[in-house]
Amino acid sequence: MASSSLPFTSVPLQFNSPSKSLSSSTRTKLRTRRVIVCPIRASVSEKPSVPAPSVKVSEPGEAKLPLKKVPGNYGVPFVGPIKDRLDYFYNQGRDEFFKSRIQKYQSTVFRTNMPPGPFIAPNPKVVALLDGKSFPVLFDVNKVEKKDLFTGTYMPSTDLTGGYRILSYLDPAEPEHAKLKQLLFFLLKSRRDKVIPEFEACYTELFETLEKELAEKGKSSFQTANDQAGFNFLARALFGSNPPDTKLGADGPSLIRKWVLFQVGPVLSLGLPKYVEELLIHSFRLPPSLVKKDYQRLYEFFYESSGFVLDEAEKLGISREEACHNLLFATCFNSLGGMNIFFPNMLKWIARAGVKLHTELAQEIRSAIRSNGGKLTMAAMEQMPLMKSVVYEGLRIEPPVPLQFGKAKKDLLIESHDAVFEVKKGEMLFGFQPFATKDPKIFERSEEFVPDRFVGDDGEKLLKHVLWSNGPETENPTLGNKQCAGKDFVVLVSRLLVVNLFRRYDSFEIVVGKSPLGAAVTVTSLKRASF
């Protein structure tokens, strides 16, 4: 929800020989290091994934990870970053941009430039970490700094957030980080009993809207209905305020979309003509003044709705104004943004899995609810292992936070599956999470949506490799880390969507299109519950 739920989304080195660049103790560790390599399984993705670089499989005691120079380069200054930006957005596309470089360098760790580059980000240089073994170093706040890196190699103007650096941009070492994160923990704990009933109420309205439009037009946009239902739910569940009953009315989602664009536009593709998009959002910042009035309307709504949280903020030593800007960001950018990305993506994967999965989910969900007195409770959801696995698999295969960044606090040795790489203090590290969570050396059939992947003891052991929340699913957010404060909240509302969907319908059909953030889902059929 907060410090890392980003609903969307660094310097050349010269290496000497190991004997010159490493201490004798470090060289001894490298010589004695062992690696166990899991077999690579076949993939049946729509577009074949890049095979991982080959690794010699040796018996314990025979294999060691070699020390290698990080491959790749940044190209000619100014020209190189722009060329990489054009490849990333247009010439290749994001996934192919990374796959082609893995093939070129035969390494999942390499140097490249990340958008936006000139003229928005003066230093676009990163060391990319594109496997499940190297990626988690980005979570270790003892090794990486997270200051002003929430959106990557650039930071949006604080004019978009009331002049404050919001929690998501703070490193845990900064004094305000713990106070603001504690405030979000307070909010989630104090309103936890409202989550299930308010979700049921708001998403019942969503389903009724979809049904009405299907009857009239034969199709209905899930995005449009979800934007409004999601915002109403968050406002009602977290703050006890119903937006339609306030001066904000139904304008919240449209105001939020515009405000979010001004922050993450430099790393999005809106589908505009290439050179128009390059000049409009990738080369220069959009002026914050253009959304000042829109943001003020949102701020006033949250200030009027969150009095009890602002009282708590003052007790923690946070001004009411700073607290309100943080609550707005956590709700509208982190939480609603994540729901607007992940919910359509999850529906896409469930729809593609077919009627057999739909029937199994409907049976499991309805049976668990009946056995709990016909009421949906937390206890009832714990008796739905397939449903829980489906949500985790959605978070694994298409995490709502695809990009992660961190700046090395000190010289580091970073391991991939087949090598050790030396990174210098101050270098920007970048991880593309979908490659880490679809690592074929960790997950069998890694490119497939496997609904029951996380069922049972063996499945639960894999949860440590589900990393969507800026940390492993098996760990919890604390005041001292950057894991999402609302990690459990996001999992809960995602489960509630699946539960309420299959409590009401036996099956559904959709058409999937593209949008700047995830999938554009149009519902074409809803089969009402028959048992």
Side-chain angles (χ1 to χ4, degrees), residues 6-237:
L6 176 63
F8 329 97
T9 134
S10 289
V11 276
L13 279 172
Q14 297 295 326
F15 286 85
N16 298 316
S17 65
S19 61
K20 294 179 181 179
S21 59
L22 300 175
S23 67
S24 60
S25 63
T26 302
R27 293 198 304 274
T28 301
K29 291 179 182 178
L30 289 174
R31 285 196 298 268
T32 58
R33 197 183 301 271
R34 291 165 172 78
V35 60
I36 299 174
V37 181
C38 299
I40 300 175
R41 303 301 179 102
S43 167
V44 292
S45 62
E46 295 177 3
K47 187 172 185 179
S49 62
V50 176
S54 60
V55 181
K56 180 181 178 181
V57 180
S58 305
E59 293 297 322
E62 295 181 5
K64 62 180 181 180
L65 294 176
L67 178 68
K68 291 184 178 181
K69 177 182 177 179
V70 180
N73 62 78
Y74 303 115
V76 178
F78 189 79
V79 175
I82 290 180
K83 180 183 182 300
D84 283 346
R85 185 171 76 199
L86 293 174
D87 285 345
Y88 182 92
F89 286 120
Y90 313 107
N91 300 334
Q92 294 178 302
R94 186 179 65 181
D95 286 18
E96 189 58 34
F97 177 88
F98 296 124
K99 289 178 181 180
S100 66
R101 284 153 179 77
I102 291 175
Q103 288 179 325
K104 178 179 179 180
Y105 303 123
Q106 287 296 290
S107 174
T108 53
V109 177
F110 55 84
R111 299 182 180 281
T112 190
N113 297 290
M114 277 296 291
F119 296 92
I120 295 174
N123 185 5
K125 301 173 181 178
V126 302
V127 175
L129 311 175
L130 302 183
D131 62 80
K133 189 172 182 182
S134 63
F135 186 93
V137 72
L138 292 161
F139 307 146
D140 191 339
V141 294
N142 293 314
K143 295 179 178 179
V144 300
E145 181 185 71
K146 292 286 193 173
K147 184 178 180 180
D148 298 338
L149 302 180
F150 183 57
T151 45
T153 58
Y154 77 102
M155 179 180 171
S157 170
T158 56
D159 288 344
L160 293 164
T161 50
Y164 291 94
R165 289 173 60 238
I166 297 301
L167 174 61
S168 294
Y169 292 96
L170 300 180
D171 185 82
E174 297 181 78
E176 287 299 300
H177 180 274
K179 294 180 182 179
L180 290 168
K181 200 166 185 179
Q182 182 63 51
L183 183 65
L184 294 181
F185 287 155
F186 165 81
L187 171 62
L188 292 166
K189 183 178 180 180
S190 63
R191 300 292 296 179
R192 59 189 175 188
D193 293 338
K194 304 296 183 181
V195 174
I196 292 179
E198 292 294 359
F199 191 96
E200 288 185 297
C202 291
Y203 277 78
T204 294
E205 294 174 9
L206 174 144
F207 293 135
E208 290 172 350
T209 298
L210 295 180
E211 290 173 7
K212 181 179 179 181
E213 290 190 356
L214 274 172
E216 294 174 352
K217 305 175 185 177
K219 61 181 181 180
S220 181
S221 168
F222 178 79
Q223 264 79 357
T224 303
N226 187 53
D227 279 1
Q228 193 66 59
F231 182 65
N232 290 349
F233 157 68
L234 291 169
R236 288 161 57 168

